């Protein structure tokens, strides 16, 4: 099926609320578990989370790696409001910084990151090169990169079935968003082409990890 883009920023307060209150424990814990599997020896210290949204992944990552400090970046103030609340309610507030920035942007204070993570940002981007160029700009010796996203299914019918299977009991606004996100997601072959257009193809690998998710991961060089 042809890709149907969706709006980049999740700046609508109702949409942000529905997303922030949803239970993403299964895919978000899978994000942490896949990271640990891909980087068994890496000890994250300074981490950047691109498109952090309400910071559920950010907080899980901070808990999983107690020695790290994380900067979460998002362009939607509505999402960051929920992120601030969530971070304040946890024991990781001293290690998590939230930053309002619309990518592509010059990010300050993240020059020495050793880890870049991103969950479900790529499919929002009108120009996916924005993510890959941001990574290239941040590239330092042995920066661990871990991106997870949805994968576009072969047909709208399959997208509807996935929505029913995984968010059948969620509010309508969330089911609608999930459907739109599946339709906007990139396929592995498209991501491969995106990486080939940069220097990253040699560094990052793509792996399908579920019926609706893929990961892109590897180490950047200088
Ligand atoms: C589906 S949410 C994912 C949030 C979070 N990473 C998670 O897994 O729960 C995508 C987020 O990316 C943000 N976003 C989309 N395009 C962006 C851009 N160009 N710059 C910064 N943030 C962006 C949206 O505002 C939204 O909060």
């Amino acid at each position: 099926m042809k890709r149907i883009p969706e709006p980049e920023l999740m700046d609508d307060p109702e949409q942000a609320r529905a997303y922030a209150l949803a239970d993403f424990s299964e895919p978000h814990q899978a994000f942490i578990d896949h990271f640990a599997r891909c980087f068994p020896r890496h000890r994250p210290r300074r981490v950047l989370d691109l498109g952090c949204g309400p910071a559920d992944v950010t907080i899980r990552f901070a808990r999983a790696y107690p020695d790290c400090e994380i900067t979460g970046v998002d362009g939607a103030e509505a999402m960051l409001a929920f992120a601030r609340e969530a971070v304040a309610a946890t024991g990781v507030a001293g290690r998590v910084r939230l930053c309002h920035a619309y990518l592509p942007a010059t990010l300050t204070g993240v020059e020495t990151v050793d880890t870049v993570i991103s969950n479900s940002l790529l499919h929002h981007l009108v120009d996916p090169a924005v993510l890959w160029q941001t990574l290239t700009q941040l590239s330092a010796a042995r920066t661990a990169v871990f991106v997870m996203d949805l994968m576009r299914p072969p047909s709208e019918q399959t997208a509807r079935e996935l929505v029913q299977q995984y968010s059948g009991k969620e509010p309508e606004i969330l089911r609608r968003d999930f459907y739109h996100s599946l339709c906007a997601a990139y396929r592995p072959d498209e991501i491969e082409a995106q990486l080939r257009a940069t220097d990253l193809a040699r560094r990052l690998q793509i792996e399908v990890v579920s019926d609706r998710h893929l990961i892109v991961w590897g180490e950047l060089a200088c």
Side-chain angles (χ1 to χ4, degrees), residues 12-33:
D12 170 43
E14 268 213 39
Q15 181 193 33
R17 165 173 289 277
Y19 190 90
L21 297 180
D23 179 8
F24 288 116
S25 48
E26 189 240 302
H28 288 182
Q29 192 50 45
F31 182 101
I32 304 298
D33 296 344

Side-chain angles (χ1 to χ4, degrees), residues 153-172:
S155 67
E156 292 185 28
Q157 176 58 26
T158 314
R160 280 192 288 273
E161 285 166 10
L162 288 169
V163 172
Q164 188 51 33
Q165 183 175 351
Y166 292 107
S167 30
K169 294 194 182 112
E170 299 287 359
E172 169 58 22

Side-chain angles (χ1 to χ4, degrees), residues 8-222:
E8 282 209 315
L9 296 183
M10 295 178 70
D11 230 352
D12 170 43
E14 268 213 39
Q15 181 193 33
R17 165 173 289 277
Y19 190 90
L21 297 180
D23 179 8
F24 288 116
S25 48
E26 189 240 302
H28 288 182
Q29 192 50 45
F31 182 101
I32 304 298
D33 296 344
H34 284 303
F35 181 93
R37 172 179 63 80
C38 294
F39 299 101
R41 281 179 294 281
H42 183 63
R43 297 282 167 270
R45 298 280 171 169
R46 292 180 57 90
V47 184
L48 181 63
D49 182 3
L50 297 171
C52 66
D56 186 56
V57 168
T58 326
I59 292 167
R60 284 173 191 272
F61 198 92
R63 284 187 170 138
Y65 295 98
D67 293 334
C68 79
E69 289 181 359
I70 307 193
T71 300
V73 173
D74 204 284
E77 189 46 51
M79 279 296 204
L80 286 174
F82 286 101
R84 280 185 210 104
E85 248 179 58
V87 168
T90 68
V92 299
R95 296 190 286 117
V96 177
R97 185 171 80 101
L98 295 166
C99 170
H100 185 206
Y102 175 60
L103 302 169
T106 305
L107 302 171
T108 52
V110 296
E111 293 79 9
T112 57
V113 292
D114 55 50
T115 309
V116 184
I117 60 173
S118 182
N119 186 51
S120 283
L121 166 68
L122 180 64
H123 73 265
H124 278 273
L125 298 173
V126 173
D127 179 6
V130 163
L131 175 58
W132 310 123
Q133 278 159 10
T134 302
L135 293 179
T136 308
Q137 280 154 18
L138 291 166
S139 158
R142 314 198 63 182
T143 301
V145 167
F146 187 84
V147 172
M148 182 159 146
D149 212 302
L150 292 168
M151 182 170 64
R152 191 163 80 255
S155 67
E156 292 185 28
Q157 176 58 26
T158 314
R160 280 192 288 273
E161 285 166 10
L162 288 169
V163 172
Q164 188 51 33
Q165 183 175 351
Y166 292 107
S167 30
K169 294 194 182 112
E170 299 287 359
E172 169 58 22
I173 187 168
L174 209 67
R175 289 205 304 274
R176 189 200 62 198
D177 266 2
F178 184 29
Y179 177 76
H180 288 156
S181 294
L182 285 166
C183 295
Y186 293 100
R187 294 192 313 252
D189 61 309
E190 292 166 336
I191 296 177
E192 212 175 302
Q194 293 164 19
L195 296 179
R196 271 202 309 271
T198 71
D199 246 5
L200 295 172
R202 286 180 300 119
R203 297 276 167 193
L204 303 183
Q205 55 183 292
I206 304 165
E207 195 183 317
V208 173
V209 290
S210 81
D211 55 358
R212 62 207 188 284
H213 291 109
L214 52 78
I215 59 175
V216 184
W217 65 279
E219 243 179 34
L220 299 184
C222 295

